[in-house]
Amino acid sequence: MTTRTTNTPNTLNATNATNATHSDKAPHVLVIGAGYAGLMAALRLDPHARVTLVDPSDRFTERIRAHERAAGRPDVTHPLGGFLRSTGIRHVPSRATAIDLAARRVTTDDGQRLRYDRLVYALGSRTSAPVAGIGERAHTLEAAESLAKRLRDGPGSLAVVGGGLTGVELAAELAESHPDWSVRLHSDGDIGAGLSARGRDHVREVLTARGVRIHEGHRIARADDLEADEVVWTAAMAPNSELAAAAGLSLDASGRIAVDAVLRSVSHPEVYVAGDAAAAHSPKVGALRMACATAIPTGSHVATSLIAEFRGRQPRPLDFGFLVQCVSLGRHDGLVQFVRPDDSPRDRLLKGALAARVKERVVRSTVGTLRLAARWPWTVPLIPGMS
Ligand SMILES: Cc1cc2nc3c(=O)[nH]c(=O)nc-3n(C[C@H](O)[C@H](O)[C@H](O)COP(=O)(O)OP(=O)(O)OC[C@H]3O[C@@H](n4cnc5c(N)ncnc54)[C@H](O)[C@@H]3O)c2cc1C
């Protein structure tokens, strides 16, 4: 561990001596959740604060490769230590179970009570699946490993529920990797609804060529309603905001934590929120959708806001806009859909092997950006799209 000194003025009182690498007078930031958003926030904050990162796993999961994991990719994780090695960040391998906003304290499942000056809430999201039917025969991508095992065990029929990009990517990946399985994709509307008509046509063409049967325009209420050996539910995501709600943080109508333009909780300004759990808005987009593409920039922006606050400056509002949507269609085909800053599709797209290579590069760049943040955190806001 290298020692970093901090230039942070003592505008906040430290409450918990954690990282030996920082002066006791440095503010203590507790980050809960070490996904794309939380890890980015922690890495960028490290030179400016004493940072504690709470996540039960000692590995960072590339969640955007969950469909690849289900298809048989052996591992989609990286040791958290690899990112934290050259930082002063302390990792607490526990699950946050409660937040006491008045005492500024988080309790963990192993009984620790961690005090903070500022809290970064980055617990992400999960598949929102109807409880009925999820069990032996029905899966979500949170259990990609057990799905992979089931697929290896022998051929059968598999239904993917959800025609969004996660369902599309999963159906294409499984059909390519397991041609002995019969795969179908169910969507209540058009598949790939946010894509251009040409983009959707390409997705349909590739899926059909891989033998995927597409059922559009019919809503599936429960996994039990489908005749298939296995069902994978990808239809909707829910924010992991239960802890926030129980603590008394304000949520928006969708259940995400309500934040202002600098990503600070509207009800408790000592709490910042990043990634899928945040109801973040930007002037170019409006409400940001749950995505890795928004989790990394909001994680970085939370750090920018906090650093400004530590320096006694006014934090800048988030100013995020989209550029592309990248979709994998198995390992050898894909779609790069150019979009306007508000995420609406343009006519321009790339498809085929070239798009598959671009998508792979983009996926690798997420881990690359986190590694960059670990070594040279100050460079991250210089990357286009980051702040
Ligand atoms: C198959 C698939 C493909 C996807 N592809 C794309 C894509 O191509 N592009 C894109 O932009 N998005 C994609 N997404 C969406 C993307 O993965 C999420 O939006 C993104 O992971 C959100 O990042 P996050 O940091 O907010 O949360 P997460 O990545 O979910 O991380 C949350 C972290 O919080 C931790 N945690 C949870 N509860 C607790 C607790 N109580 N205490 C402590 N820690 C806790 C978890 O262990 C995890 O490490 C995809 C998703 C899936 C499932």
Side-chain angles (χ1 to χ4, degrees), residues 32-38 54-57 61 63-67 94-97 122-125 141 166 169 237 240 243 274-277 289-295 326 359:
I32 52 174
Y36 297 98
V54 180
D55 194 298
S57 178
T61 298
R63 196 170 159 207
I64 60 175
R65 289 197 194 271
H67 58 302
S94 313
R95 180 169 292 280
T97 52
L123 299 186
S125 62
L141 278 175
T166 303
E169 288 194 327
M237 304 300 290
N240 285 331
L243 245 56
D276 286 357
R289 63 180 160 88
M290 292 187 195
C292 174
T294 53
C326 297
K359 165 78 185 191

Side-chain angles (χ1 to χ4, degrees), residues 45-92:
L45 281 165
D46 173 55
H48 307 272
R50 292 178 300 126
V51 180
T52 303
L53 182 59
V54 180
D55 194 298
S57 178
D58 61 1
R59 300 189 72 83
F60 167 77
T61 298
E62 281 192 80
R63 196 170 159 207
I64 60 175
R65 289 197 194 271
H67 58 302
E68 296 178 49
R69 179 72 190 91
R73 190 183 172 109
D75 193 10
V76 296
T77 67
H78 305 266
L80 206 46
F83 297 97
L84 305 185
R85 195 177 300 127
S86 60
T87 74
I89 299 169
R90 174 188 170 220
H91 173 222
V92 175

Side-chain angles (χ1 to χ4, degrees), residues 249-332:
L249 287 166
S250 292
L251 307 185
D252 77 348
S254 71
R256 298 166 92 186
I257 302 168
V259 291
D260 65 13
V262 306
L263 303 179
R264 207 166 29 197
S265 153
V266 296
S267 58
H268 294 80
E270 72 281 7
V271 179
Y272 287 72
V273 194
D276 286 357
H281 290 69
S282 88
K284 289 179 185 139
V285 185
L288 301 193
R289 63 180 160 88
M290 292 187 195
C292 174
T294 53
I296 293 181
T298 54
S300 176
H301 196 82
V302 156
T304 297
S305 294
L306 274 165
I307 294 163
E309 192 195 336
F310 297 157
R311 291 177 173 162
R313 295 189 195 144
Q314 190 63 30
R316 271 182 289 120
L318 177 73
D319 182 22
F320 173 84
F322 288 97
L323 186 62
V324 286
Q325 288 185 22
C326 297
V327 189
S328 66
L329 298 168
R331 294 299 86 205
H332 308 290

